[in-house]
Amino acid sequence: MRVGLTLMSVASTVMGISRIDVHNTEVSKISKLQYSMFFETEINFGSEGGMYGELVWNRDFELLGRGTVTSESKYNNHNAPAKAKSEVELLQDFKLSMKDMSNQQIRDPPPPVSDNFKPWTTTGNATAAISSVSAPYLTNPHVLAVNTTGNGDGVSNPGYWGMNLPTATPFDVSLFVKSDNVTSLTLQLRCGTKVTASHTFDVNTTWTLQESYITTNNHTSCSDGNLFIYPHQEGVIYLDHVSVFPKDSINNIFRPDLLKYLSDFKPGFIRLPGGNYLEGTSLDSRWAWKNTIGDRRKRSGHFSPWGYWVTDGMGLHELLVMCETIGTEPLVSIYTGYSMGKKYVPLNESWQFAQDALDLIEYANGNTSTYWGAKRAANGHPSPFNVKYLEIGNEERDMSSTGFPPHYKMISEAVWQQYPNMFVVASGSMNAVGARGHRSTSCFPCVGGCGFEPQRCDSWDEHTYDSPKTMADLHTLYDDYNNTCKRTDGKPCPPVFVLEYAARSDPFLQNAVAEAVFLIGAEKNAAIVQGTSFAPLFCNVHGTQWPYNLISFNSSSSFALPSYYVQKILKDNLGDYLLKTTTSGQVSGSTWNATASILKSTNEVIVKMANFGEKEVQLVIEFNGFSNVKPRKMASIVTSENATDKNTLDNPTYVTNSTTTIDVSHLPLNFTLPAMSVVVLRAGIES
């Protein structure tokens, strides 16, 4: 159960063991990007089966048995969602998959199976087969041929482990269909065998797009529903691009409850689309953004390196619309020629990737007289998206003369030649920062070496994944950054974006607190660390490839980790300038950290504290050099009774944040920082 600030004992006469001294001295400006998000677009069915509102799985029949859909353990008679695995089972699966993926073979696209149309199934005496004789679009050559008796048999689709079908809810439905001998069919939404909505379409002898909207009835609802299609006459019908889309989807794209987590958080930026999803395991499986724009029915789709086929319904355009909708900046990643486990595409063949970057910027920002700007307008967005941030690469490993440095140089120089003000982040490597804080920077483009001069990097990307204990211990990681990072020309290293981090293992409060200790350490070095984002963001509990994710969901419900609420109170209490702050006194068995800033628009000092430990910390907070500190203070806290408390689908806010007001009549302020807690204190000051 969540524990509020009643645990905090305020007593102005009791001296604490530990101290926080906040000084009225501004140290550095704090970036508005400090607390941001990373949306690896396709991992854990985070978009298709999640944020992207489409309910029909394999709607275009291009999946052909490739990936997760072939695992029968994921299904319960292809209609109801299977029981989600426990955290222990998921963690074991993750460890095994990481071991097996040392040669990347497990992630390579499997060959298509021409007679596999799962998760679709036939009912009654109907039979079905994949056909490629004729299709509405050449980019998606496969369709489903269904042979029925006309006596109510047909085909069914379970959605992504069940369709959520509330009562009195409208849906847009559509399909391409043709037949030489069938003249009509019925599309139904069902809860088990109960029909909750239906519509009858005419069938022509040529491919025809049939569209309508249907509304579920007032008395039948379920979260494990399915789609059923049956022809009225005996014969063969051909189906393609079958769609069921909830009409409450934001912008006709996004699942509302999942988008709300993002809009409530208000991240500084959203990094997209990846991650490993950017790289793929080959040129064919990389994220090729030009294949992800335009009419969604014409997109050819590709195999995600996370083990499943995607239709690319959540493409570049949709991702930019998502950022625009919630009012955040997109940080778009650019492919370099490196795919996981493969050698770089030779430099003399890699100009195409620089051109892709230039074309992407033109698509996002160009006026409608440009080629790609006109494409954007044709896709329904004549005004520019005004993308300001790019990242070149992801977890680049090869720092040789044929690896990342020359590819980064080619792409970044091409970008800056046409767009000199574009902010470019250079990719770092996985765990560039070791568990003991040793930074491996040899030959990175930003620092030089190995025959290369240091190159311009507006920032570079470090990824830090570790155990909760180690993550908390890394709170001093950036204290000595300028001594541990050295450019070969003697100039300072660029600032850092920590674009992937997590105290991964279990979805517990203690993990979130460990991350908070680390994040406060990053904010204490605001001149160096100018952006952070947790990874991964989304997870369908039935399609999990990574066990520790910020937001999890099934077809109808969702919950966020305690880490989400920790990050949110840190984000909601972001100051303008870092203040000089000193801490002293440690408690055996606890790792605690604190920082302070000033928010000039409200004349408040903000003090952030986190205690990763099983013992309370008795604290004294002294405000030095301020003419007057007002006695009324707002405080936010995330804590709970047990370090292993967590949120679940059944209890989504067991661990969350609360806010209260504290009155004190004397300073310094003395109080108890609870065990395993994150506390933010806001105190008014005289302007």
Side-chain angles (χ1 to χ4, degrees):
M1 179 179 292
R2 176 169 54 85
V3 179
L5 281 170
T6 54
L7 284 179
M8 193 172 287
S9 56
V10 180
S12 61
T13 60
V14 177
M15 291 301 295
I17 298 172
S18 303
R19 290 183 63 86
I20 302 173
D21 284 276
V22 181
H23 302 270
N24 190 9
T25 303
E26 294 176 5
V27 177
S28 62
K29 188 174 178 62
I30 298 175
S31 169
K32 297 304 180 185
L33 308 178
Q34 192 73 30
Y35 298 99
S36 296
M37 286 183 164
F38 167 40
F39 185 11
E40 181 148 19
T41 311
E42 286 299 348
I43 181 175
N44 305 314
F45 290 84
S47 285
E48 299 193 12
M51 175 64 88
Y52 179 52
E54 177 62 69
L55 298 187
V56 180
W57 194 355
N58 194 19
R59 64 186 177 92
D60 58 6
F61 306 103
E62 300 298 329
L63 196 156
L64 301 174
R66 289 172 283 190
T68 297
V69 75
T70 60
S71 173
E72 294 296 326
S73 64
K74 298 283 185 181
Y75 293 90
N76 180 8
N77 297 324
H78 295 283
N79 286 314
K83 182 179 183 295
K85 292 185 177 182
S86 69
E87 287 87 357
V88 173
E89 291 172 318
L90 291 172
L91 184 59
Q92 182 63 25
D93 287 352
F94 174 76
K95 290 177 178 177
L96 290 173
S97 66
M98 291 296 105
K99 181 179 179 181
D100 292 343
M101 283 193 291
S102 59
N103 61 5
Q104 301 300 332
Q105 290 180 357
I106 195 170
R107 289 187 173 186
D108 285 342
V113 181
S114 60
D115 61 350
N116 191 321
F117 50 84
K118 292 176 181 178
W120 292 85
T121 55
T122 58
T123 65
N125 294 318
T127 60
I130 295 292
S131 172
S132 57
V133 174
S134 161
Y137 302 116
L138 295 177
T139 50
N140 290 290
H142 299 97
V143 303
L144 189 67
V146 183
N147 193 336
T148 70
T149 63
N151 294 320
D153 46 15
V155 289
S156 180
N157 186 286
Y160 294 87
W161 300 285
M163 294 183 180
N164 185 40
L165 304 176
T167 57
T169 301
F171 294 85
D172 287 315
V173 295
S174 63
L175 73 165
F176 270 100
V177 61
K178 77 167 189 171
S179 177
D180 290 332
N181 37 37
V182 172
T183 59
S184 60
L185 62 78
T186 293
L187 180 152
Q188 296 177 338
L189 299 180
R190 291 183 172 186
C191 291
T193 59
K194 295 180 179 179
V195 177
T196 184
S198 67
H199 187 83
T200 297
F201 293 103
D202 292 334
V203 178
N204 301 319
T205 57
T206 58
W207 283 112
T208 305
L209 176 62
Q210 300 286 12
E211 300 176 283
S212 186
Y213 75 90
I214 56 178
T215 302
T216 54
N217 62 37
N218 293 322
H219 52 81
T220 304
S221 67
C222 58
S223 60
D224 58 353
N226 64 88
L227 164 71
F228 181 59
I229 297 172
Y230 68 91
H232 296 171
Q233 297 84 27
E234 182 177 2
V236 178
I237 61 168
Y238 295 89
L239 302 174
D240 203 5
H241 301 288
V242 183
S243 177
V244 176
F245 227 95
K247 286 189 77 69
D248 68 350
S249 300
I250 307 300
N251 291 327
N252 297 314
I253 304 169
F254 312 115
R255 178 170 153 174
D257 63 323
L258 300 186
L259 188 68
K260 190 174 188 300
Y261 286 105
L262 277 57
S263 59
D264 286 351
F265 190 94
K266 301 179 178 65
F269 61 75
I270 295 181
R271 177 185 178 225
L272 52 92
N276 292 161
Y277 183 65
L278 171 74
E279 304 160 327
T281 56
S282 65
L283 278 174
D284 290 338
S285 62
R286 70 183 172 103
W287 185 70
W289 72 265
K290 291 174 182 175
N291 295 337
T292 75
I293 61 172
D295 187 340
R296 294 176 205 155
R297 298 184 185 95
K298 295 182 180 180
R299 301 178 191 177
S300 55
H302 73 289
F303 189 78
S304 165
W306 290 103
Y308 58 96
W309 183 266
V310 296
T311 67
D312 286 322
M314 183 73 93
L316 172 66
H317 190 92
E318 288 77 14
L319 291 168
L320 295 178
V321 168
M322 179 186 72
C323 293
E324 182 180 66
T325 301
I326 67 171
T328 192
E329 300 285 353
L331 191 165
V332 185
S333 298
I334 301 297
Y335 181 74
T336 62
Y338 167 73
S339 294
M340 293 184 296
K342 306 296 191 300
K343 293 182 178 180
Y344 279 81
V345 175
L347 191 65
N348 62 2
E349 300 174 15
S350 294
W351 175 253
Q352 59 180 309
F353 311 127
Q355 189 63 55
D356 278 348
L358 297 175
D359 293 345
L360 187 151
I361 298 170
E362 184 174 289
Y363 182 87
N365 298 352
N367 62 51
T368 55
S369 66
T370 65
Y371 178 82
W372 289 105
K375 291 274 191 184
R376 183 194 66 244
N379 292 334
H381 201 285
S383 59
F385 287 109
N386 296 317
V387 169
K388 303 180 184 70
Y389 302 93
L390 294 183
E391 178 174 14
I392 296 177
N394 172 68
E395 294 180 357
E396 309 290 318
R397 292 167 169 81
D398 181 358
M399 298 300 150
S400 71
S401 61
T402 59
F404 184 50
H407 285 79
Y408 173 83
K409 179 180 175 65
M410 177 187 64
I411 296 171
S412 63
E413 289 183 349
V415 168
W416 283 320
Q417 184 176 2
Q418 291 195 32
Y419 305 98
N421 295 323
M422 183 64 65
F423 189 101
V424 174
V425 182
S427 167
S429 66
M430 174 69 167
N431 284 338
V433 182
R436 293 180 176 83
H438 298 309
R439 183 169 281 101
S440 174
T441 60
S442 177
C443 307
F444 265 60
C446 307
V447 299
C450 301
F452 296 100
E453 293 297 318
Q455 300 173 44
R456 171 184 164 183
C457 302
D458 297 324
S459 180
W460 69 350
D461 174 8
E462 292 190 343
H463 297 177
T464 299
Y465 294 101
D466 230 310
S467 68
K469 176 64 169 64
T470 301
M471 181 68 74
D473 289 343
L474 287 173
H475 70 276
T476 61
L477 180 63
Y478 295 100
D479 291 357
D480 200 32
Y481 173 79
N482 290 326
N483 290 323
T484 60
C485 181
K486 297 289 188 180
R487 282 170 55 113
T488 58
D489 59 4
K491 295 180 180 179
C493 284
V496 172
F497 280 9
V498 183
L499 293 182
E500 296 184 31
Y501 73 86
R504 65 188 183 196
S505 64
D506 299 292
F508 296 151
L509 169 67
Q510 65 186 9
N511 300 65
V513 176
E515 291 158 2
V517 174
F518 172 78
L519 290 171
I520 288 173
E523 189 173 324
K524 286 172 74 172
N525 291 279
I528 295 165
V529 182
Q530 299 183 357
T532 62
S533 53
F534 180 99
L537 180 58
F538 285 123
C539 172
N540 187 313
V541 297
H542 301 300
T544 303
Q545 292 89 49
W546 192 277
Y548 186 59
N549 307 281
L550 197 63
I551 298 160
S552 296
F553 55 87
N554 59 17
S555 68
S556 60
S557 304
S558 59
F559 71 92
L561 290 182
S563 183
Y564 172 87
Y565 298 101
V566 163
Q567 293 172 48
K568 191 174 187 305
I569 67 168
L570 297 178
K571 169 67 173 65
D572 289 346
N573 295 281
L574 189 64
D576 299 318
Y577 291 90
L578 183 71
L579 294 177
K580 179 182 177 182
T581 306
T582 57
T583 59
S584 60
Q586 287 294 337
V587 177
S588 176
S590 291
T591 300
W592 69 276
N593 201 8
T595 190
S597 60
I598 186 168
L599 184 61
K600 295 193 172 184
S601 61
T602 59
N603 292 322
E604 288 178 293
V605 171
I606 301 168
V607 183
K608 298 178 179 178
M609 301 160 277
N611 176 18
F612 179 74
E614 298 178 356
K615 296 181 180 180
E616 300 172 340
V617 178
Q618 299 294 327
L619 276 173
V620 173
I621 302 179
E622 183 73 88
F623 297 89
N624 301 292
F626 298 93
S627 59
N628 185 27
V629 179
K630 298 178 181 179
R632 183 172 295 275
K633 298 169 177 60
M634 297 300 296
S636 300
I637 185 170
V638 176
T639 190
S640 193
E641 292 175 344
N642 303 297
T644 56
D645 284 348
K646 62 181 180 178
N647 297 328
T648 63
L649 287 171
D650 293 331
N651 199 339
T653 55
Y654 193 83
V655 182
T656 186
N657 59 295
S658 62
T659 302
T660 190
T661 302
I662 299 174
D663 286 312
V664 295
S665 55
H666 298 91
L667 293 174
L669 176 64
N670 295 259
F671 69 93
T672 301
L673 180 61
M676 286 297 169
S677 69
V678 181
V679 176
V680 178
L681 181 71
R682 295 178 73 131
I685 59 172
E686 293 290 342
S687 57

